[in-house]
mmCIF file of all heavy atoms in Angstrom:
data_model
loop_
_atom_site.group_PDB
_atom_site.id
_atom_site.type_symbol
_atom_site.label_atom_id
_atom_site.label_comp_id
_atom_site.label_asym_id
_atom_site.label_seq_id
_atom_site.Cartn_x
_atom_site.Cartn_y
_atom_site.Cartn_z
ATOM 1 N N ASP A 95 -3.228 -6.219 7.841
ATOM 2 C CA ASP A 95 -1.788 -6.008 8.035
ATOM 3 C C ASP A 95 -1.566 -5.437 9.427
ATOM 4 O O ASP A 95 -2.474 -4.894 10.048
ATOM 5 C CB ASP A 95 -1.189 -5.130 6.933
ATOM 6 C CG ASP A 95 -2.033 -3.907 6.623
ATOM 7 O OD1 ASP A 95 -3.056 -3.699 7.295
ATOM 8 O OD2 ASP A 95 -1.673 -3.156 5.709
ATOM 9 N N ASP A 97 1.776 -3.916 10.736
ATOM 10 C CA ASP A 97 2.991 -3.177 11.111
ATOM 11 C C ASP A 97 2.763 -1.704 11.446
ATOM 12 O O ASP A 97 1.879 -1.053 10.929
ATOM 13 C CB ASP A 97 4.107 -3.323 10.065
ATOM 14 C CG ASP A 97 3.614 -3.227 8.627
ATOM 15 O OD1 ASP A 97 2.406 -3.256 8.408
ATOM 16 O OD2 ASP A 97 4.464 -3.116 7.730
ATOM 17 N N LEU A 99 4.998 2.160 12.307
ATOM 18 C CA LEU A 99 5.959 3.000 11.583
ATOM 19 C C LEU A 99 6.923 3.660 12.565
ATOM 20 O O LEU A 99 6.579 3.886 13.723
ATOM 21 C CB LEU A 99 5.200 4.094 10.810
ATOM 22 C CG LEU A 99 4.468 3.620 9.555
ATOM 23 C CD1 LEU A 99 3.383 4.603 9.175
ATOM 24 C CD2 LEU A 99 5.438 3.436 8.397
ATOM 25 N N ALA A 119 0.892 4.608 13.080
ATOM 26 C CA ALA A 119 0.497 5.832 12.382
ATOM 27 C C ALA A 119 -0.328 5.531 11.132
ATOM 28 O O ALA A 119 -0.901 6.430 10.541
ATOM 29 C CB ALA A 119 1.744 6.634 12.005
ATOM 30 N N CYS A 120 -0.380 4.266 10.716
ATOM 31 C CA CYS A 120 -1.183 3.935 9.538
ATOM 32 C C CYS A 120 -2.420 3.132 9.924
ATOM 33 O O CYS A 120 -3.130 2.617 9.069
ATOM 34 C CB CYS A 120 -0.343 3.189 8.501
ATOM 35 S SG CYS A 120 -0.979 3.381 6.820
ATOM 36 N N GLY A 121 -2.666 2.997 11.225
ATOM 37 C CA GLY A 121 -3.901 2.354 11.671
ATOM 38 C C GLY A 121 -3.943 0.849 11.496
ATOM 39 O O GLY A 121 -5.012 0.236 11.543
ATOM 40 N N HIS A 122 -2.784 0.219 11.314
ATOM 41 C CA HIS A 122 -2.810 -1.230 11.101
ATOM 42 C C HIS A 122 -3.233 -1.987 12.357
ATOM 43 O O HIS A 122 -3.672 -3.138 12.267
ATOM 44 C CB HIS A 122 -1.444 -1.718 10.594
ATOM 45 C CG HIS A 122 -1.063 -1.165 9.253
ATOM 46 N ND1 HIS A 122 0.063 -1.554 8.575
ATOM 47 C CD2 HIS A 122 -1.671 -0.252 8.450
ATOM 48 C CE1 HIS A 122 0.144 -0.902 7.411
ATOM 49 N NE2 HIS A 122 -0.888 -0.101 7.332
ATOM 50 N N HIS A 125 -6.653 -2.674 11.826
ATOM 51 C CA HIS A 125 -6.856 -3.783 10.878
ATOM 52 C C HIS A 125 -6.830 -5.131 11.600
ATOM 53 O O HIS A 125 -7.591 -6.042 11.274
ATOM 54 C CB HIS A 125 -5.787 -3.759 9.777
ATOM 55 C CG HIS A 125 -5.787 -2.504 8.971
ATOM 56 N ND1 HIS A 125 -4.769 -2.174 8.112
ATOM 57 C CD2 HIS A 125 -6.676 -1.479 8.900
ATOM 58 C CE1 HIS A 125 -5.040 -1.008 7.534
ATOM 59 N NE2 HIS A 125 -6.176 -0.568 8.010
ATOM 60 N N GLU A 155 3.896 -4.821 5.650
ATOM 61 C CA GLU A 155 3.218 -4.133 4.539
ATOM 62 C C GLU A 155 3.946 -2.852 4.148
ATOM 63 O O GLU A 155 3.945 -2.469 2.989
ATOM 64 C CB GLU A 155 1.770 -3.818 4.929
ATOM 65 C CG GLU A 155 0.884 -3.418 3.748
ATOM 66 C CD GLU A 155 1.115 -1.997 3.253
ATOM 67 O OE1 GLU A 155 1.413 -1.106 4.088
ATOM 68 O OE2 GLU A 155 1.030 -1.762 2.044
ATOM 69 N N GLU A 156 4.575 -2.196 5.156
ATOM 70 C CA GLU A 156 5.190 -0.882 4.904
ATOM 71 C C GLU A 156 6.522 -1.039 4.166
ATOM 72 O O GLU A 156 7.589 -0.731 4.698
ATOM 73 C CB GLU A 156 5.382 -0.122 6.230
ATOM 74 C CG GLU A 156 4.093 0.236 6.942
ATOM 75 C CD GLU A 156 3.328 1.390 6.297
ATOM 76 O OE1 GLU A 156 3.836 1.964 5.305
ATOM 77 O OE2 GLU A 156 2.240 1.700 6.777
ATOM 78 N N HIS A 184 -8.524 -0.720 4.403
ATOM 79 C CA HIS A 184 -7.558 0.172 5.037
ATOM 80 C C HIS A 184 -8.294 1.340 5.667
ATOM 81 O O HIS A 184 -9.097 1.987 4.998
ATOM 82 C CB HIS A 184 -6.526 0.678 4.045
ATOM 83 C CG HIS A 184 -5.240 1.072 4.717
ATOM 84 N ND1 HIS A 184 -5.200 2.018 5.724
ATOM 85 C CD2 HIS A 184 -3.975 0.620 4.580
ATOM 86 C CE1 HIS A 184 -3.947 2.143 6.152
ATOM 87 N NE2 HIS A 184 -3.189 1.296 5.483
ATOM 88 N N VAL A 185 -8.010 1.586 6.950
ATOM 89 C CA VAL A 185 -8.608 2.751 7.604
ATOM 90 C C VAL A 185 -7.852 4.013 7.207
ATOM 91 O O VAL A 185 -6.647 3.983 6.934
ATOM 92 C CB VAL A 185 -8.599 2.604 9.141
ATOM 93 C CG1 VAL A 185 -9.563 1.516 9.585
ATOM 94 C CG2 VAL A 185 -7.197 2.340 9.676
ATOM 95 N N SER A 354 -0.029 3.139 -2.052
ATOM 96 C CA SER A 354 0.088 1.788 -2.605
ATOM 97 C C SER A 354 0.020 0.787 -1.463
ATOM 98 O O SER A 354 0.184 1.146 -0.300
ATOM 99 C CB SER A 354 1.400 1.627 -3.370
ATOM 100 O OG SER A 354 2.481 1.580 -2.466
ATOM 101 N N ALA A 355 -0.256 -0.469 -1.821
ATOM 102 C CA ALA A 355 -0.372 -1.508 -0.800
ATOM 103 C C ALA A 355 0.023 -2.844 -1.396
ATOM 104 O O ALA A 355 -0.161 -3.080 -2.594
ATOM 105 C CB ALA A 355 -1.802 -1.584 -0.271
ATOM 106 N N TYR A 368 -10.218 -4.304 -2.412
ATOM 107 C CA TYR A 368 -9.530 -3.579 -1.344
ATOM 108 C C TYR A 368 -10.357 -2.325 -1.093
ATOM 109 O O TYR A 368 -10.647 -1.570 -2.026
ATOM 110 C CB TYR A 368 -8.127 -3.213 -1.826
ATOM 111 C CG TYR A 368 -7.215 -2.619 -0.785
ATOM 112 C CD1 TYR A 368 -6.615 -3.431 0.174
ATOM 113 C CD2 TYR A 368 -6.931 -1.259 -0.769
ATOM 114 C CE1 TYR A 368 -5.751 -2.892 1.117
ATOM 115 C CE2 TYR A 368 -6.061 -0.723 0.173
ATOM 116 C CZ TYR A 368 -5.480 -1.549 1.121
ATOM 117 O OH TYR A 368 -4.619 -1.023 2.048
ATOM 118 N N ASN A 386 -3.026 9.524 7.677
ATOM 119 C CA ASN A 386 -2.162 8.378 7.978
ATOM 120 C C ASN A 386 -0.683 8.749 7.807
ATOM 121 O O ASN A 386 -0.326 9.450 6.877
ATOM 122 C CB ASN A 386 -2.468 7.230 7.017
ATOM 123 C CG ASN A 386 -3.879 6.674 7.175
ATOM 124 O OD1 ASN A 386 -4.817 7.426 7.410
ATOM 125 N ND2 ASN A 386 -4.016 5.380 7.063
ATOM 126 N N HIS A 387 0.137 8.212 8.674
ATOM 127 C CA HIS A 387 1.593 8.411 8.728
ATOM 128 C C HIS A 387 1.962 9.700 9.462
ATOM 129 O O HIS A 387 3.143 9.931 9.728
ATOM 130 C CB HIS A 387 2.266 8.382 7.343
ATOM 131 C CG HIS A 387 2.260 7.017 6.706
ATOM 132 N ND1 HIS A 387 3.207 6.606 5.794
ATOM 133 C CD2 HIS A 387 1.433 5.964 6.866
ATOM 134 C CE1 HIS A 387 2.943 5.366 5.403
ATOM 135 N NE2 HIS A 387 1.857 4.956 6.047
HETATM 136 ZN ZN1 ZN B 609 -1.116 1.356 5.791
#
Side-chain angles (χ1 to χ4, degrees):
D95 45 3
D97 42 349
L99 285 159
C120 205
H122 296 185
H125 300 168
E155 194 284 326
E156 296 285 357
H184 205 303
V185 291
S354 72
Y368 188 77
N386 296 38
H387 291 207

